[in-house]
Amino acid sequence: MTAPPEKSDGSAPGLVSLVGAGPGDPGLITVRGLERLQCADAVVHDEMISPELLARARADAALIPAGKRRGHHCMEQDAINALLAELARAGKRVCRLKTGDPFVFGRGGEEALFLAAAGIPFEVVPGVTAAVAVPGAAGIPVTHRGLAAVCTVVTGHGDHDSGGVDWEAVARAGGTVVVLMGLKHLAKIAERLRRGGLAGGTPAAVITRGTLPGERVVTGTLADIAARAEAAGAAPPGILVVGDVVTLRGGKTPG
């Protein structure tokens, strides 16, 4: 989109920037994302945005939590949408700071559609998605020549007994499966993938606090990863990676 005319300080009035903050480590935000954060009058941020990153906002910027995590909502989505429009209509430069990438299970698309329908100028500043960055930082490439030419990214959030993701179809796609927000239903997801045809011995890993201090990686197989993760005390949020690429962690090549 074309941004509104710039203010004298080089920033745009009445603009909502949908910014991806990256996978967790505050150093992994993009250069443009950091610029938008630092010039914003108001920062409407997800719960899991690091305090170190929020500290990079202007001292006089309004920091407004709007997070949703494990069923606990600071603000419902309709209220977030309305707030973004209200701030922009007041001439504010708004940074809607979202974890990962706004358009990868981040509801950024919903916010963009709302703003477009309301006639609110906005832009999208893509972020580094956790689906690729978290496994990568843990030493697991999501694709690798000769092992995985396909990577399927899927949400693990929701009802896994009926409707939702067709886990059997995901299993049949082959390659690597990356499941975001899947720890709560880990055992059910593993069962559904096996039902879809993935062998119980398929390598699997659970990564918690990815890219952050205290990162933990639990490895195993599709048959035992849920039990291993539980025994290790792995707690949401976390990422499940399933596929032969897991064997590459630590520079090992499959035998």
Side-chain angles (χ1 to χ4, degrees), residues 65-79:
K68 298 182 284 293
R69 182 177 178 185
R70 298 176 65 183
H72 301 288
H73 299 258
C74 293
M75 192 179 296
E76 297 293 338
Q77 189 62 52
D78 287 348

Side-chain angles (χ1 to χ4, degrees), residues 120-249:
I120 304 295
F122 71 94
E123 64 174 347
V124 178
V125 181
V128 179
T129 175
V132 174
V134 166
I140 303 172
V142 296
T143 64
H144 188 81
R145 188 168 54 133
L147 286 183
V150 174
C151 176
T152 303
V153 179
V154 61
T155 176
H157 180 72
D159 184 354
H160 297 280
D161 292 319
S162 62
V165 175
D166 185 343
W167 291 100
E168 288 75 10
V170 171
R172 290 192 296 271
T176 305
V177 179
V178 178
V179 183
L180 304 179
M181 301 171 287
L183 264 62
K184 181 178 179 181
H185 303 287
L186 182 55
K188 287 184 179 180
I189 290 170
E191 177 189 350
R192 292 286 298 274
L193 289 173
R194 292 180 67 185
R195 194 185 308 167
L198 284 182
T202 304
V206 164
I207 309 166
T208 56
R209 292 191 58 80
T211 76
L212 294 169
E215 175 184 282
R216 298 186 66 184
V217 182
V218 179
T219 58
T221 66
L222 196 56
D224 65 15
I225 191 62
R228 284 177 176 267
E230 182 178 6
I239 290 178
L240 169 67
V241 185
V242 179
D244 289 337
V245 292
V246 173
T247 64
L248 299 176
R249 174 170 159 75

Side-chain angles (χ1 to χ4, degrees), residues 3-98:
E6 292 189 342
K7 292 182 179 179
S8 60
D9 63 359
S11 57
L15 174 70
V16 177
S17 299
L18 302 174
V19 177
D25 183 333
L28 294 177
I29 191 172
T30 65
V31 172
R32 181 172 295 180
L34 184 58
E35 290 174 349
R36 294 300 189 265
L37 170 63
Q38 292 175 324
C39 78
D41 300 304
V43 180
V44 182
H45 62 90
D46 283 355
E47 178 182 355
M48 290 186 290
I49 300 296
S50 73
E52 292 84 359
L53 186 54
L54 292 175
R56 304 291 294 275
R58 287 191 350 232
D60 63 340
L63 301 181
I64 306 170
K68 298 182 284 293
R69 182 177 178 185
R70 298 176 65 183
H72 301 288
H73 299 258
C74 293
M75 192 179 296
E76 297 293 338
Q77 189 62 52
D78 287 348
I80 294 172
N81 294 345
L83 175 63
L84 297 177
E86 177 185 348
L87 291 168
R89 285 176 177 139
K92 304 293 185 183
R93 294 157 296 188
V94 184
C95 175
R96 173 66 174 112
L97 194 59
K98 304 173 76 68

